[in-house]
Amino acid sequence: MDIARSIVGLNSKTNELYYRVSDHAHYWKVYQGIVDEAVASATDIIHLGCGPLWFGKVATVPLDGKTIYAVDPDEEALARNPAEKHICAYGESIPLPDGCADVIAADHLLEHLERPEAVLREAHRLLRPGGRFVFTAPNLLSYSGLATHLTPHWFHTLYVGLLRGTSGSGNSKPYPTYFRMNTVWAVNRLAKAAGFRVDKLATGVDHPTYTVLIPGLHQAAVALHLVLDKVEALAPFRITLTGSLVRE
């Protein structure tokens, strides 16, 4: 295990080099900017598929006076969320009244939706006119998205366990993935069908994570990420999708 930690440490230094050379901001910073813009004037916010993550770790604007609903079907994960209002529910059916929210935020959720069209219809019901559904998720057309989609769930569980053991991270248990709303084209199609207008939709690149245990391969992945970052023609194949949908 000490050898694995040494490898992770070495590969982490390669990640630092990536950020010195890349042209674009980290996808999480882009997502936080979109969230902050949506949340600044909002009063009621639904953090969908939040697990134990407090929304204050997502938004950087003050949340005083705002109502945050932490919504997740995993009761155990939800119990660790410090939000005052917990709702244990799937995104297709949330026990809240029509037009009760200004913002619905979903970070790393879209890939787990078996019926994203039903989740978007429910979001449309819950949002007030002009309300926003903001999200960040992996891009199916990226090499990592395809690898995740094509490998079995037991492998995801095994690999996340290895990453947790070597990095000490608090990575949550992996959930089944479907990737049915994880391309630029799928987002546009499903949003329109559910009554949303696509306001912002960006693809992004960050440092590679899945190769962090494999020296050599990790450095090659960093080089690939730099190519994806700098060549605009490859934008549809970048690692993440981040965007904002407006309820019409």
Side-chain angles (χ1 to χ4, degrees):
M1 194 62 73
D2 288 340
I3 293 175
R5 288 197 178 97
S6 297
I7 291 172
V8 170
L10 171 64
N11 288 344
S12 295
K13 292 187 181 298
T14 309
N15 296 342
E16 295 173 10
L17 176 63
Y18 167 83
Y19 288 112
R20 293 197 199 106
V21 182
S22 65
D23 292 334
H24 297 85
H26 190 282
Y27 81 93
W28 189 256
K29 291 294 185 184
V30 175
Y31 178 55
Q32 285 186 311
I34 294 174
V35 168
D36 287 349
E37 181 182 354
V39 166
S41 59
T43 55
D44 300 289
I45 300 149
I46 295 173
H47 193 193
L48 186 59
C50 57
L53 181 64
W54 163 232
F55 190 65
K57 298 288 187 180
V58 179
T60 65
V61 296
L63 299 177
D64 297 340
K66 302 181 188 297
T67 301
I68 312 294
Y69 296 96
V71 179
D72 197 284
D74 186 331
E75 190 172 0
E76 179 184 351
L78 190 61
R80 303 198 305 273
N81 194 303
E84 291 186 5
K85 295 185 180 295
H86 289 181
I87 299 176
C88 189
Y90 287 93
E92 294 91 340
S93 181
I94 299 172
L96 286 171
D98 295 359
C100 66
D102 303 298
V103 177
I104 297 176
D107 24 273
H108 302 293
L109 172 68
L110 300 189
E111 66 274 21
H112 301 293
L113 299 180
E114 189 172 7
R115 296 191 299 136
E117 67 283 354
V119 173
L120 284 181
R121 285 197 299 268
E122 180 71 346
H124 191 275
R125 179 186 73 81
L126 294 168
L127 287 168
R128 298 173 181 124
R132 293 178 180 269
F133 182 94
V134 296
F135 64 89
T136 190
N139 180 10
L140 172 61
L141 296 183
S142 68
Y143 77 92
S144 55
L146 287 170
T148 301
H149 188 47
L150 295 174
T151 49
H153 184 65
W154 66 260
F155 181 79
H156 302 171
T157 303
L158 174 66
Y159 203 75
V160 166
L162 288 172
L163 289 175
R164 187 186 297 117
T166 56
S167 67
S169 70
N171 289 344
S172 62
K173 61 184 178 183
Y175 296 97
T177 53
Y178 301 97
F179 285 93
R180 292 176 178 167
M181 189 179 164
N182 291 78
T183 68
V184 169
W185 298 279
V187 169
N188 278 289
R189 174 175 55 83
L190 291 168
K192 182 178 180 181
F196 285 93
R197 172 174 56 84
V198 177
D199 179 49
K200 296 182 175 69
L201 184 56
T203 56
V205 188
D206 61 338
H207 66 271
T209 56
Y210 293 112
T211 57
V212 72
L213 297 178
I214 310 171
L217 181 60
H218 186 73
Q219 282 68 33
V222 168
L224 173 60
H225 280 221
L226 282 172
V227 172
L228 290 169
D229 176 80
K230 292 181 176 295
V231 180
E232 286 303 315
L234 298 177
F237 307 99
R238 288 173 177 158
I239 309 302
T240 57
L241 293 171
T242 304
S244 172
L245 313 180
V246 179
R247 183 207 189 278
E248 298 280 48

